[in-house]
Amino acid sequence: MKIRELLDWSSKSLVRSSSPDIDAWVLLKFVLQADDSWLISNEHAPVGSQDEARIRELIELRKRGVPVAYLTNSRQFWSKDLYVDSRVLVPRPETETLVETVLRIARSFRSPDILELGTGSGAIAVALSSKMPHAKMTATDLSQEVLAVAKINLQRHDCTNVNLEKADWFSGLEGRRFDLICSNPPYVGRNDPHLEVPELQHEPQSALVAGKDGLDAIRQIVSAASGYLHSKGWLILEHAYDQAGDIRAMMNNAGFVDVHSEKDLSGHDRVSLGRKSE
Ligand code: GLN
């Protein structure tokens, strides 16, 4: 088959994906190890039988809902190429709002001591470290196999100021204090129909689901965070598009001040934050 024919066949096979053309293009590029311009100018070149078989195999997996990022072991976040596989959540664009908010708040600290809870692929830590080499950072996760993925990304991007530690939210961090605590915790409710999206079924449920209303992890973090912050330190959390009001109330009840939310690019309140009073 020629490249163009294989692309057309692949796109057609992926009609149920939300982006069949892009998926087909990215998977072909991946297997042929080609870049965009090579693929554009070689549409009529034949594809070797081994490559064709591999492409058909990947298209089959994609049809079953496996995210493209797992098939290519790669995802761009904050303009960084990250290694990802099914041990970690695929980094989402809306999480860049969390990174932007942390960077804005961190500007008022000369050399901030930052904790990221539940780092997964390490996407947030890599982005923060690239912009704040002067910061001291700790990134945690519950599982050693997830920390192994974060380690690959931190090493790939030379993030020497990030320390990886195994911890279950705050348990494992007793006695420590930070200037900023941030997290993109699981926040989807157990029965949320969003979980039926095929891609989500291939992702680690522990990184997505947090109890009946999706707020279990956030409740745990908000209620304990003060004990791990210096006075005037900030807690900054990503959450679902409809959870901001609940989370601001939780933060106010826990004694945080200057509580407010930030919008993502779709205009949804996506990040809420509050400062520990003096
Ligand atoms: N934003 C993700 C989604 O809606 C959920 C990520 C999370 O739970 N932290 O697919």
Side-chain angles (χ1 to χ4, degrees):
M1 254 190 182
K2 299 204 163 102
I3 287 180
R4 173 45 50 203
E5 289 163 347
L6 202 51
L7 274 172
D8 290 344
W9 172 84
S10 302
S11 301
K12 269 201 215 105
S13 309
L14 297 176
V15 276
R16 284 174 56 213
S17 155
S18 56
S19 52
D21 296 343
I22 297 173
D23 293 1
W25 186 262
V26 170
L27 292 173
L28 219 79
K29 252 174 64 170
F30 172 67
V31 170
L32 300 179
Q33 296 186 2
D35 59 18
D36 288 322
S37 56
W38 187 90
L39 215 57
I40 290 167
S41 49
N42 289 278
E43 284 199 337
H44 301 295
V47 178
S49 58
Q50 267 189 345
D51 285 344
E52 182 176 328
R54 181 77 185 122
I55 289 161
R56 286 179 182 273
E57 208 177 306
L58 294 180
I59 296 292
E60 193 47 48
L61 290 167
R62 181 71 195 108
K63 256 165 87 174
R64 289 188 222 146
V66 180
V68 174
Y70 290 165
L71 297 174
T72 60
N73 293 127
S74 134
R75 179 68 164 210
Q76 290 279 121
F77 180 83
W78 200 262
S79 305
K80 308 276 175 211
D81 183 49
L82 299 178
Y83 172 87
V84 290
D85 64 28
S86 58
R87 287 175 286 184
V88 298
L89 200 72
V90 178
R92 314 282 208 260
E94 59 265 29
T95 300
E96 297 196 347
T97 304
L98 176 65
V99 173
E100 276 161 12
T101 308
V102 175
L103 290 174
R104 177 173 65 75
I105 296 293
R107 265 188 243 128
S108 55
F109 295 84
R110 199 179 321 157
S111 155
D113 198 341
I114 301 177
L115 168 65
E116 191 217 341
L117 296 170
T119 193
S121 64
I124 295 166
V126 167
L128 292 175
S129 165
S130 75
K131 285 282 180 185
M132 296 189 290
H134 57 288
K136 182 173 168 230
M137 292 180 49
T138 302
T140 67
D141 210 282
L142 179 59
S143 115
Q144 211 57 259
E145 59 166 15
V146 170
L147 288 169
V149 178
K151 188 172 172 195
I152 294 172
N153 287 314
L154 291 168
Q155 281 180 345
R156 179 184 286 187
H157 296 287
D158 280 330
C159 305
T160 48
N161 60 335
V162 184
N163 213 23
L164 283 175
E165 291 182 36
K166 188 169 180 303
D168 182 1
W169 302 132
F170 292 108
S171 96
L173 299 168
E174 289 77 10
R176 312 260 296 269
R177 299 255 175 192
F178 303 88
D179 297 313
L180 265 87
I181 299 174
C182 64
S183 183
N184 171 21
Y187 53 67
V188 182
R190 195 191 295 138
N191 301 317
D192 191 321
H194 178 53
L195 291 171
E196 283 156 31
V197 171
E199 282 77 3
L200 266 68
Q201 294 181 6
H202 292 269
E203 293 186 288
Q205 298 301 294
S206 60
L208 285 166
V209 182
K212 193 164 186 292
D213 60 359
L215 291 170
D216 279 10
I218 290 179
R219 265 190 288 268
Q220 229 177 306
I221 295 172
V222 173
S223 64
S226 278
Y228 296 85
L229 281 167
H230 292 300
S231 70
K232 297 190 180 177
W234 286 83
L235 172 63
I236 310 175
L237 297 176
E238 178 176 326
H239 51 72
Y241 74 98
D242 56 356
Q243 292 171 335
D246 286 340
I247 291 163
R248 287 197 301 263
M250 269 184 228
M251 287 182 171
N252 282 315
N253 285 338
F256 285 91
V257 295
D258 296 339
V259 173
H260 62 285
S261 301
E262 297 285 345
K263 293 192 188 310
D264 62 18
L265 289 175
S266 322
H268 295 123
D269 279 338
R270 178 60 68 179
V271 169
S272 291
L273 58 160
R275 186 168 58 84
K276 181 175 170 175
S277 56
E278 293 170 44

